[in-house]
Amino acid sequence: MAITELKHLLRDFYPFSLLTDYQLQEMTDKATEVTFSKNEFIFHEDESVEELDLYFLVSGLAKNILHQSNGKQLSLRYYYPGDIIGIMVMFTNGALNFSVQALEDCTVFKLNKKHFFEMMTRNNDFSKVIWESIGERTKSLYDEMKNKTSDDERDNVHLLTSRVNTWMDTPVFISPEATMEQAAKLMKDKNVLGLIVSEKPPMKYGIITIGNIIQYVAKDIYSNKVRDWVNVEPYYVHAEAFAYEALSFIKNKSLEFIPVVHYDKVIGTLSSRSFLQLQDSSFLDLTYHVKNGKSVKELVNEGPLVNQTLHTFIKSLMEKDTYAYDIAEVITNHNDNLYRQVLKLAESEMKAEGYGLPPINYCFIIMGSQARREQGFRTDQDNGMILHDYEHLHNKEEIEKYFNIFTTKINSHLAAIGFTECSGGIMARENKWRKSSTSWKKEIDTWKKELDAEEIQKFTMFYDFRPIYGDFSLAEDIRTTITEKAMRSNTLQQLLMKDALRFKISAHPFGIVQIKQKNKKINVKKTGLTQIIYSIRINAIKYGIREVSTIKRLDALKKLHAMHPRDVDNAKTALHYLHYYRLKQNLLELELGEMTTNDINIMNLEKEDRLKLKEALQIAHRMQQVTKISFNRNRVV
């Protein structure tokens, strides 16, 4: 389109129709025509406001992308011919990070930014419409963000379900015969909001708080003894109560200070400040350090095998009887944070080395136990990448070179942090695991039709993928494709069933599991976890369930009435036991400086623990047998 035609084009679009002929001519004279190919960025989040231009979209379709701090991207709105691109990005810059990407080949006119805003000062009607548009878009943007992030994934296990003794502070005692001045000085020196008043610590008697000190100073009363100001009927909380019970009193009753008791003894105290350790807790400090790591060298000490803070936190969760599969999710979340930070650092390195920003959008995916949120302390890399379709672009070779260098950096950095490179080569730097969206769909079709023993394992690995960074819509599209194709293929499901039966649990004819192994050890990953994970995955495929986590798949199967609630509860119990004993073994191995394994020494377990492990293995064995019978029955029919 000739630049001379822009004036006539703008005249037909509101609010440009509010400009005078002279003003339209001015805007046209300062505009330039630009084209963008499908999947190219019109504007990228790493560009500054100074680099941002305003564009009038003539033809094609583009989308606005919000980049969240967790690495996820949200598509918040689309741009159609006649829209102005860049105003919202400019006015929200600093608070939010946006990119704009062409979804089709786009033709735009780049408008002179300085002249555009100058025009707004000269034409009140034009300016009013622009500002009203910004207001409406801001509101719709807020609503869209609220809707799309309401179901965002949990970053951590809900900490308020922990016990009071996790949050309590050390109590500070004072005699009832002490003076209020002494009490005030003790509070100041110990930096506490209250004191336990007791003649014989730790026996309880009453409390005195900052509020009492203020009352004492404000009132002209002769007595300055603590005994005359003590609250002898304070609210107490038991050490084994849930933390949210105490927090609810602090919030709703405006309590400053709560003693924590065990029988009649005060063993700790709680205040609103106690719950601020959410901000100061060592685990959240660890999260902060990961997310703010400036180099791979800094992140090495945050790796799951070496970081003592993580080890201590996991141990404390186990001592609080947290479900072990939730604890495995905590470890996975830590590893997810490390992955995301490595990706950010690799992007920065590419830019610093002259390769620039990613030329097209991409989504980095993880597979296996990390994707299912079921990791222990030691894990190797199972990852890949989905690229926007780029084969049609003129710079195809440059794009492939860019992502080859980029993914090689990523896998190398992850290895340096402690994530061992996959011996099977399931890593993003390998061409087989780094494909465009269309190429992945072709691969899925190939897997569906031509699966052999090796390919079936690659399929099951890929099926359990989860997006972790980048354009999540790419992953959602592939998830839809693979879920629908696998659900409709009975042949594929039978092959998966046959593959799953390779991993069997030794049992007597009546299904009784024997755990007296010759070497006295059981590998709980191969004997127990694998059988449950495979059985649940096959049923999830059969019913078209999109969830990746085994726990979430169980919940979905229960909701569909595809599994009896009792069987779901049994499966969760087995997963809890198996993850628990593996994590307990790992913590011991880490403490002794040994390599972590999946092997549980039966002889080191108490009788009760051996019975629990045996129960878990019997549940796994039964699930495998039931799944086999179910699929064989369907095949006969």
Side-chain angles (χ1 to χ4, degrees):
M1 178 183 295
I3 195 72
T4 55
E5 298 177 26
L6 177 59
K7 178 180 176 180
H8 301 288
L9 184 65
L10 291 179
R11 184 181 286 118
D12 294 330
F13 282 94
Y14 188 79
F16 294 99
S17 57
L18 299 173
L19 299 177
T20 66
D21 283 346
Y22 179 75
Q23 290 170 338
L24 278 172
Q25 189 63 54
E26 277 188 293
M27 189 165 287
T28 301
D29 291 341
K30 296 181 181 294
T32 55
E33 184 177 1
V34 183
T35 59
F36 294 92
S37 298
K38 178 181 177 181
N39 293 337
E40 279 191 300
F41 284 107
I42 296 174
F43 172 76
H44 196 275
E45 62 157 337
D46 288 334
E47 297 178 58
S48 65
V49 173
E50 291 72 23
E51 297 173 298
L52 171 62
D53 290 304
L54 297 176
Y55 298 99
F56 176 76
L57 183 58
V58 178
S59 65
L61 178 68
K63 71 175 178 180
N64 183 303
I65 301 168
L66 170 66
H67 300 266
Q68 296 181 291
S69 59
N70 64 359
K72 184 175 182 179
Q73 298 179 0
L74 294 178
S75 298
L76 294 177
R77 65 157 298 176
Y78 292 95
Y79 294 101
Y80 302 94
D83 284 341
I84 305 172
I85 298 173
I87 291 183
M88 280 301 299
V89 178
M90 186 172 297
F91 278 93
T92 56
N93 191 279
L96 299 169
N97 296 320
F98 288 105
S99 296
V100 177
Q101 182 185 26
L103 294 180
E104 301 173 351
D105 291 344
C106 292
T107 298
V108 302
F109 278 104
K110 184 166 68 174
L111 306 176
N112 185 287
K113 180 172 54 180
K114 182 178 179 181
H115 181 262
F116 185 90
F117 290 118
E118 185 181 302
M119 190 72 69
M120 289 176 64
T121 65
R122 290 160 50 190
N123 189 314
N124 290 333
D125 291 337
F126 180 72
S127 177
K128 181 181 178 182
V129 173
I130 294 295
W131 284 114
E132 287 176 350
S133 173
I134 291 172
E136 291 172 1
R137 290 188 188 182
T138 301
K139 183 180 183 303
S140 64
L141 174 68
Y142 170 78
D143 291 339
E144 188 75 5
M145 289 172 59
K146 182 172 65 175
N147 291 335
K148 290 197 174 186
T149 57
S150 60
D151 295 325
D152 203 13
E153 297 171 335
R154 296 177 298 163
D155 284 339
N156 295 295
V157 175
H158 196 269
L159 295 180
L160 290 184
T161 58
S162 57
R163 308 291 179 177
V164 161
N165 55 19
T166 304
W167 301 97
M168 67 185 185
D169 301 309
T170 302
V172 180
F173 294 88
I174 191 168
S175 168
E177 298 304 317
T179 66
M180 293 296 281
E181 288 79 9
Q182 289 173 320
K185 185 176 186 303
L186 185 58
M187 287 187 199
K188 180 177 181 296
D189 292 343
K190 298 295 185 179
N191 190 27
V192 295
L193 298 179
L195 302 171
I196 304 298
V197 180
S198 179
E199 294 179 343
K200 296 180 179 179
M203 303 303 294
K204 66 180 183 180
Y205 169 67
I207 65 170
I208 191 165
T209 67
I210 290 286
N212 298 131
I213 299 293
I214 293 173
Q215 289 175 353
Y216 166 73
V217 173
K219 294 183 178 180
D220 186 16
I221 297 178
Y222 176 75
S223 176
N224 69 343
K225 294 292 185 180
V226 166
R227 66 169 181 263
D228 295 319
W229 294 90
V230 65
N231 176 3
V232 294
E233 294 182 352
Y235 172 75
Y236 291 93
V237 64
H238 196 274
E240 290 302 312
F242 284 109
Y244 69 78
E245 296 177 63
L247 184 59
S248 67
F249 273 85
I250 290 173
K251 177 183 177 182
N252 298 314
K253 300 294 184 182
S254 299
L255 296 179
E256 303 171 343
F257 186 74
I258 300 176
V260 180
V261 298
H262 184 62
Y263 297 110
D264 285 328
K265 296 180 180 180
V266 178
I267 63 171
T269 60
L270 288 174
S271 67
S272 57
R273 189 186 296 173
S274 303
F275 292 96
L276 291 178
Q277 61 183 297
L278 267 171
Q279 299 175 0
D280 300 327
S281 72
S282 57
F283 180 71
L284 294 182
D285 280 347
L286 174 61
T287 302
Y288 175 83
H289 291 321
V290 170
K291 292 185 176 182
N292 290 274
K294 303 300 182 185
S295 68
V296 174
K297 186 176 180 180
E298 286 184 28
L299 295 180
V300 168
N301 294 327
E302 313 298 342
L305 286 171
V306 299
N307 194 280
Q308 295 296 320
T309 301
L310 178 65
H311 301 170
T312 301
F313 183 70
I314 297 304
K315 185 177 181 180
S316 70
L317 288 177
M318 294 180 70
E319 290 173 349
K320 290 182 297 183
D321 297 327
T322 306
Y323 287 122
Y325 45 77
D326 282 341
I327 300 176
E329 183 178 342
V330 171
I331 296 174
T332 304
N333 288 336
H334 175 70
N335 293 342
D336 286 355
N337 287 333
L338 284 167
Y339 267 64
R340 293 187 186 104
Q341 195 61 22
V342 163
L343 280 151
K344 292 177 183 178
L345 292 174
E347 280 190 353
S348 298
E349 288 176 15
M350 292 293 286
K351 190 173 180 180
E353 293 170 11
Y355 296 105
L357 300 170
I360 58 171
N361 229 356
Y362 70 91
C363 183
F364 195 87
I365 60 173
I366 50 177
M367 292 168 268
S369 62
Q370 186 175 0
R372 294 190 302 271
R373 300 180 180 274
E374 298 166 356
Q375 290 193 295
F377 286 98
R378 182 179 296 277
T379 177
D380 59 1
Q381 295 185 46
D382 295 311
N383 50 62
M385 186 175 283
I386 306 170
L387 305 173
H388 258 298
D389 288 338
Y390 65 91
E391 289 84 355
H392 62 288
L393 297 176
H394 64 89
N395 58 338
K396 172 186 174 183
E397 289 75 16
E398 288 80 0
I399 291 173
E400 291 176 343
K401 179 182 178 182
Y402 181 97
F403 282 102
N404 182 48
I405 297 171
F406 181 41
T407 52
T408 299
K409 279 181 177 291
I410 294 168
N411 292 138
S412 176
H413 292 343
L414 289 172
I417 294 172
F419 300 104
T420 308
E421 293 188 354
C422 177
S423 58
I426 304 176
M427 292 179 290
R429 73 182 182 206
E430 303 294 332
N431 292 335
K432 186 172 183 61
W433 298 99
R434 185 184 69 250
K435 301 176 185 289
S436 68
S437 181
T438 297
S439 295
W440 273 119
K441 291 176 182 178
K442 290 178 180 177
E443 184 76 7
I444 292 169
D445 279 333
T446 301
W447 279 331
K448 179 183 173 184
K449 298 172 183 175
E450 305 173 7
L451 280 175
D452 56 23
E454 181 180 354
E455 292 297 310
I456 196 79
Q457 293 177 44
K458 291 178 181 177
F459 175 85
T460 55
M461 180 63 71
F462 183 75
Y463 194 86
D464 287 357
F465 81 83
R466 175 166 62 89
I468 194 173
Y469 189 89
D471 187 351
F472 280 38
S473 66
L474 290 169
E476 290 165 5
D477 183 35
I478 297 298
R479 172 57 62 197
T480 298
T481 299
I482 196 169
T483 300
E484 291 178 352
K485 288 185 179 295
M487 181 176 62
R488 292 197 300 262
S489 176
N490 291 329
T491 301
L492 174 61
Q493 293 174 31
Q494 289 295 334
L495 288 171
L496 291 171
M497 185 69 251
K498 182 179 179 181
D499 178 66
L501 291 175
R502 293 187 300 114
F503 306 98
K504 295 181 180 179
I505 297 177
S506 299
H508 293 307
F510 293 103
I512 301 174
V513 174
Q514 176 61 266
I515 65 172
K516 291 182 179 180
Q517 306 292 323
K518 292 182 179 180
N519 59 2
K520 309 301 182 184
K521 291 184 178 181
I522 288 180
N523 184 313
V524 293
K525 180 177 180 180
K526 294 180 179 179
T527 307
L529 286 173
T530 293
Q531 288 74 20
I532 296 175
I533 291 167
Y534 275 51
S535 295
I536 299 304
R537 181 200 292 129
I538 291 169
N539 280 283
I541 290 172
K542 177 181 177 181
Y543 290 96
I545 293 170
R546 296 169 63 97
E547 299 288 357
V548 177
S549 158
T550 303
I551 293 296
K552 290 184 177 180
R553 283 172 172 169
L554 281 166
D555 291 336
L557 289 166
K558 178 181 176 180
K559 188 175 181 179
L560 291 172
H561 303 291
M563 280 189 71
H564 193 282
R566 180 192 63 249
D567 294 330
V568 170
D569 290 341
N570 286 341
K572 288 184 176 181
T573 298
L575 287 169
H576 167 59
Y577 288 156
L578 294 167
H579 282 300
Y580 176 84
Y581 292 116
R582 181 175 69 165
L583 289 171
K584 186 176 181 180
Q585 177 69 20
N586 286 172
L587 285 170
L588 176 61
E589 290 163 340
L590 289 168
E591 187 177 333
L592 296 175
E594 300 174 355
M595 179 177 290
T596 57
T597 68
N598 297 305
D599 296 330
I600 306 300
N601 192 322
I602 304 301
M603 304 306 295
N604 292 339
L605 297 178
E606 300 290 338
K607 181 179 179 180
E608 182 181 353
D609 292 324
R610 287 199 296 271
L611 291 174
K612 288 179 178 179
L613 182 58
K614 183 176 181 178
E615 178 187 352
L617 296 180
Q618 289 186 167
I619 291 171
H621 173 70
R622 180 176 178 274
M623 287 185 66
Q624 188 180 51
Q625 294 303 107
V626 169
T627 303
K628 176 185 176 182
I629 293 170
S630 173
F631 274 82
N632 285 340
R633 182 173 63 245
N634 291 339
R635 182 175 60 182
V636 172
V637 173

